[in-house]
């Protein structure tokens, strides 16, 4: 079992503060409100667990349009910082999305492999529309093409933690987005 990580010793620096994030989340919510203002039925938000749960919780509290929230648990990482490239659906949604307007809520698009897979998987259920909303985007790391409709921040190709994002299931509770000290994950490679 991995030892507990104390954030004080694990974090190199914070690149996005809680305040930066809240301002961006509000702006994204306003845009979504505008884009879906004339819908007769609630839009379906699919929160991708686990990383997106904090972002989704804040985003829904800024939305004014009618919506439903559903959860899907997807894993693509092992215990470290590298994508395994294999996407596994641990928990599917139970709602029928056929003919509904759907937005996938994701924490970060890195290689894009997870979202490319998910998009194709959910498109197969014939939603009326399927958009992607992510808090973070690492364009330099992209291996699969994905069209992101709502994006909070573009960041460099560095491993980040906090605001729902983890390293080996830890550090999700940090209020901002921070870069991990390389020695924390280098310990894995030794
Ligand atoms: P992708 O398939 O490489 O785009 O990665 C998708 C998932 O990997 C994200 O939803 C995150 O859960 C995780 N991930 C990617 N980059 C990071 C990171 O920098 N920190 C924490 N998790 C990450």
């Amino acid at each position: 079992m991995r030892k507990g990580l104390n954030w004080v010793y694990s974090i190199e620096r914070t690149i996005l503060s809680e305040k930066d994030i809240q301002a961006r989340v509000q702006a994204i919510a306003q845009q979504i409100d505008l884009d879906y203002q004339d819908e007769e039925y609630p839009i379906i938000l699919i929160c991708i667990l686990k990383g997106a749960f904090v972002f989704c919780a804040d985003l829904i509290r800024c939305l004014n349009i009618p919506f439903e929230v559903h959860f899907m648990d997807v894993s693509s990482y092992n215990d470290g910082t590298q994508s395994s490239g294999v996407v596994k659906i641990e928990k599917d949604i139970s709602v029928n999305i056929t003919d509904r307007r759907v937005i996938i809520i994701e924490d970060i698009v890195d290689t894009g492999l997870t979202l490319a897979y998910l998009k194709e998987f959910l498109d197969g259920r014939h939603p009326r529309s399927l958009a992607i909303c992510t808090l973070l985007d690492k364009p330099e790391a992209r291996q699969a093409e994905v069209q992101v409709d709502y994006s909070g921040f573009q960041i460099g190709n560095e491993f980040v933690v906090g605001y729902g994002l983890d390293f080996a299931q830890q550090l999700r509770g940090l209020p901002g987005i921070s870069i991990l000290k390389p020695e924390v994950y280098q310990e894995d490679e030794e």
Side-chain angles (χ1 to χ4, degrees), residues 22 24-37 42-47 55-70 101-105 133 150:
Q22 287 317 318
R24 229 12 232 136
V25 170
Q26 262 174 24
I28 293 173
Q30 271 174 17
Q31 189 60 52
I32 294 176
D33 273 346
L34 206 66
D35 294 348
Y36 294 83
Q37 62 186 333
I43 60 165
I44 305 260
L45 304 176
I46 304 182
C47 172
F55 172 43
C56 186
D58 281 346
L59 184 73
I60 59 170
R61 285 178 291 174
C62 298
L63 285 175
N64 291 309
I65 48 160
F67 61 85
E68 295 175 18
V69 194
H70 298 272
R101 300 205 70 185
V102 178
I103 307 180
I104 300 174
I105 311 292
C133 172
Y150 305 95

Side-chain angles (χ1 to χ4, degrees), residues 2 5 10 76-85 108 110-111 138 141 143 157-161 165-171 178-189:
R2 182 182 292 276
L5 292 171
S10 311
S76 59
Y77 273 64
N78 297 322
D79 196 26
T81 59
Q82 295 296 308
S83 172
S84 66
I108 186 163
D110 185 15
T111 62
K138 282 189 205 172
Q143 289 174 28
N157 197 4
E158 285 167 304
F159 194 80
V160 291
V161 290
L165 286 93
D166 72 308
F167 169 66
Q169 301 300 333
Q170 296 188 59
L171 304 169
S178 301
I179 292 179
L180 207 56
K181 282 186 180 151
E183 55 262 37
V184 178
Y185 47 87
Q186 273 159 9
E187 277 168 26
D188 275 2
E189 290 157 14

